[in-house]
Amino acid sequence: VDVDGFYALNLSTVLDYVAYYPKVCAPIGGKASKEDWVSKEVGDGNINFVYIIMNKKTNAAIVLKQGLPYVRCVGESWPLTQERVRYEAEALIAAHGFCPEHVPEVYLYDSKMSTIAMRYIEPPNKIARVGLCEGKTYVRMAEHVGKYLAETLFKSSSVCLGAKKFRENRIAFGGNEAMCALTEQVIFTEPYGVFENNKWTHELNDIVREIQSDGELKVAITELKAKFINECEALLHGDLHTGSIMCGERSTYVIDHEFAFYGPMAFDIGAFIANLYLAYYASDGLGHSENHKKYLQCMIKDVLIRFVSDFSRLWRTNGRQKDFGGLSHPSVFSAHLNRPSQSFNSPDEKHFQQSQLEFISRVIYDAHRFAGAKIIRRIIGIAHVADMEGIQNLELKAKCERAALEMGMRLLKGKYSCKTSVRLSMNWEYGR
Ligand code: ADP
Ligand code: SR1
Ligand code: MG
Ligand code: MG
Ligand code: MG
């Protein structure tokens, strides 16, 4: 092992590399059992290389992810800073701290080699997008992702941390510049103009022309891009699509935090629901049943309900109410935690619920708009999704993609209201 400099690992050197770090190879039996190790490269994402190193006698395994100085799916012509790996490691560690049951543990971050060693998420867990494309239903996924979103977004926000600590954390994650710039380019800019990276099924020429010349859409995407850049509310995952989530029957893990930065909460929520919409609109083309479509629709509703109820509960129990609008008696809230109906008549309780409702409704509203942008980019931008790409009949594929694009346009334009459903989800948590 060259301990001084960087080199790209391969199936053989990855074994020597792992053997060098006792903490990393402990789960697979330590260096002494190296003879029993086998490695494979399983990176199916767009950007990095991921190795699984397994002890073939015990079947115990670890994961080693390495970021090379370019975008994997494009090649060396698209250089990308390896600093992203540091952000990924730090965000994984933070998210594991916020929500340990849904984020793998990090064993090592090595800045010289741009590697992260982490817990292997074992089969039957698999990438959620793969399972959903096969028509699988994950009955706890909405609940788990809703919880993950509430825990990570709340616990990294000023509502939880207070302004001083929040600002310190925001500065620490403020520099993931290259990854934010990549997102700005491929989600908020390119799909709305003439760029070489864009690609789409040719049957969609008319609707793509419409998207690229619709003034209302241009205003909407410009506003969202400004939100993405300016609203530093919480530590985001930054790329929370169904390819960044691994699921089993009753388990859910979020991986791949390399786009992490302090941004608008709505961006993560929007990414997840966008990918459920994509799965929904691909369903007909993949031959799934009406039941599967209903399951996907329910999941969109359920993840939002769970996010709203958990986020409002966390805010009530762990928030810094005294920092908000002169609501100066936090004891009022904690004292009545289990008896909200008795305290509802107090002005502080009413105003507290009102401030939660305004804040959370705005997040959910923006999440739908970001979802619209994320649907559109996955059909006409550089990076498409397996849900649509897996549809063999090209005419059917174009039909599914068109339906998704039409939904994406409606969502991006923000043509709906969500205050009532947010109020209901908050009330549900409070038992009214
Ligand atoms: P990229 O940044 O290139 O998208 P990912 O972090 O998404 O890379 O990892 C690529 C693939 O590697 C995932 O789709 C998954 O199949 C596998 N993988 C990544 N992390 C783990 C893990 N901790 N346990 C098991 N498999 C993993
Ligand atoms: C070059 S664009 C690659 C895309 O893949 C990642 O997972 C992100 O979604 C990014 O936009
Ligand atoms: Mg990935
Ligand atoms: Mg990634
Ligand atoms: Mg996306």
Side-chain angles (χ1 to χ4, degrees):
V1 171
D2 173 359
V3 288
D4 292 327
F6 168 83
Y7 57 92
L9 292 164
N10 60 38
L11 289 177
S12 159
T13 55
V14 76
L15 299 176
D16 301 326
Y17 178 78
V18 162
Y20 184 77
Y21 293 99
K23 191 180 171 207
V24 175
C25 62
I28 49 174
K31 193 178 172 174
S33 52
K34 187 167 174 240
E35 290 291 289
D36 300 325
W37 298 349
V38 284
S39 60
K40 62 180 171 179
E41 204 279 316
V42 295
D44 57 358
N46 291 322
I47 305 194
N48 301 291
F49 291 78
V50 177
Y51 298 90
I52 294 174
I53 301 102
M54 181 174 280
N55 182 319
K56 56 181 189 273
K57 285 206 175 126
T58 62
N59 282 339
I62 54 154
V63 158
L64 194 88
K65 178 167 178 177
Q66 185 174 44
L68 301 193
Y70 56 85
V71 176
R72 177 182 182 156
C73 68
V74 177
E76 292 181 43
S77 64
W78 191 333
L80 195 59
T81 170
Q82 290 167 298
E83 267 295 280
R84 69 186 188 272
V85 184
R86 178 167 72 79
Y87 286 104
E88 174 164 359
E90 287 178 6
L92 264 170
I93 291 165
H96 180 78
F98 295 146
C99 193
E101 58 276 55
H102 298 304
V103 183
E105 184 191 349
V106 168
Y107 304 138
L108 172 86
Y109 162 60
D110 178 353
S111 60
K112 282 194 200 119
M113 285 290 282
S114 300
T115 49
I116 298 173
M118 70 183 106
R119 180 192 148 182
Y120 170 57
I121 300 166
E122 67 291 344
N125 291 292
K126 64 162 88 162
I127 287 293
R129 191 189 302 287
V130 174
L132 294 176
C133 287
E134 289 166 356
K136 281 202 163 38
T137 50
Y138 296 113
V139 290
R140 302 198 62 186
M141 185 182 181
E143 174 200 333
H144 289 165
V145 176
K147 178 180 176 187
Y148 167 87
L149 285 165
E151 298 277 344
T152 57
L153 299 179
F154 175 79
K155 289 177 180 171
S156 59
S157 74
S158 66
V159 193
C160 175
L161 297 173
K164 184 169 181 294
K165 182 79 188 134
F166 167 76
R167 269 194 286 270
E168 283 166 18
N169 289 8
R170 201 176 61 184
I171 289 163
F173 279 96
N176 202 358
E177 174 57 35
M179 304 311 275
C180 289
L182 197 160
T183 294
E184 287 150 21
Q185 175 185 343
V186 301
I187 297 180
F188 297 106
T189 301
E190 289 185 350
Y192 304 88
V194 180
F195 289 92
E196 253 181 36
N197 281 331
N198 290 337
K199 54 187 183 206
W200 58 82
T201 315
H202 75 87
E203 285 88 345
L204 301 174
N205 281 347
D206 60 325
I207 191 166
V208 174
R209 242 191 326 271
E210 193 186 328
I211 288 170
Q212 295 182 341
S213 59
D214 181 327
E216 204 184 335
L217 269 191
K218 284 192 190 296
V219 171
I221 198 68
T222 304
E223 195 186 333
L224 280 190
K225 186 175 184 176
K227 276 180 181 289
F228 179 83
I229 297 167
N230 298 325
E231 286 182 7
C232 309
E233 286 178 331
L235 178 57
L236 306 191
H237 178 283
D239 194 23
L240 193 58
H241 53 80
T242 46
S244 298
I245 299 174
M246 296 185 74
C247 284
E249 278 308 307
R250 316 191 78 76
S251 51
T252 309
Y253 299 93
V254 177
I255 58 169
D256 197 8
H257 292 63
E258 72 193 306
F259 284 83
F261 77 114
Y262 260 82
M265 296 184 184
F267 187 73
D268 269 4
I269 304 167
F272 182 64
I273 62 175
N275 282 269
L276 297 181
Y277 274 115
L278 286 162
Y280 173 84
Y281 285 106
S283 284
D284 284 336
L286 295 171
H288 296 322
S289 65
E290 281 305 306
N291 270 349
H292 190 69
K293 291 175 76 173
K294 281 205 190 97
Y295 155 72
L296 291 165
Q297 269 178 324
C298 285
M299 193 148 50
I300 295 172
K301 214 160 26 82
D302 290 349
V303 72
L304 295 176
I305 290 173
R306 180 65 191 237
F307 167 76
V308 172
S309 65
D310 277 16
F311 191 92
S312 56
R313 179 183 46 76
L314 284 164
W315 188 347
R316 172 178 286 279
T317 52
N318 299 305
R320 296 170 58 98
Q321 285 85 347
K322 68 177 162 35
D323 290 345
F324 282 81
L327 294 172
S328 56
H329 306 291
S331 59
V332 169
F333 305 110
S334 45
H336 292 281
L337 204 56
N338 298 318
R339 292 173 284 127
S341 56
Q342 290 178 24
S343 64
F344 189 66
N345 289 333
S346 91
D348 275 0
E349 172 62 22
K350 260 194 212 160
H351 294 146
F352 177 60
Q353 289 205 15
Q354 179 74 31
S355 64
Q356 282 202 337
L357 181 63
E358 295 301 332
F359 183 96
I360 298 174
S361 300
R362 195 261 309 149
V363 169
I364 300 298
Y365 180 72
D366 286 348
H368 285 87
R369 296 208 293 162
F370 279 121
K374 288 194 148 244
I375 292 170
I376 293 171
R377 63 81 57 127
R378 289 297 188 189
I379 298 174
I380 71 177
I382 183 174
H384 290 205
V385 288
D387 315 53
M388 295 295 184
E389 299 307 298
I391 303 172
Q392 301 302 322
N393 177 326
L394 292 186
E395 216 175 294
L396 189 53
K397 178 179 182 234
K399 206 171 148 210
C400 295
E401 291 179 319
R402 181 182 294 276
L405 279 179
E406 284 167 352
M407 185 63 181
M409 290 165 77
R410 282 198 297 279
L411 288 168
L412 176 49
K413 288 179 179 177
K415 302 235 154 146
Y416 55 87
S417 151
C418 58
K419 227 175 200 171
T420 309
S421 52
V422 170
R423 194 195 303 269
L424 285 173
S425 306
M426 286 171 57
N427 287 351
W428 175 78
E429 173 63 27
Y430 297 157
R432 288 215 180 83

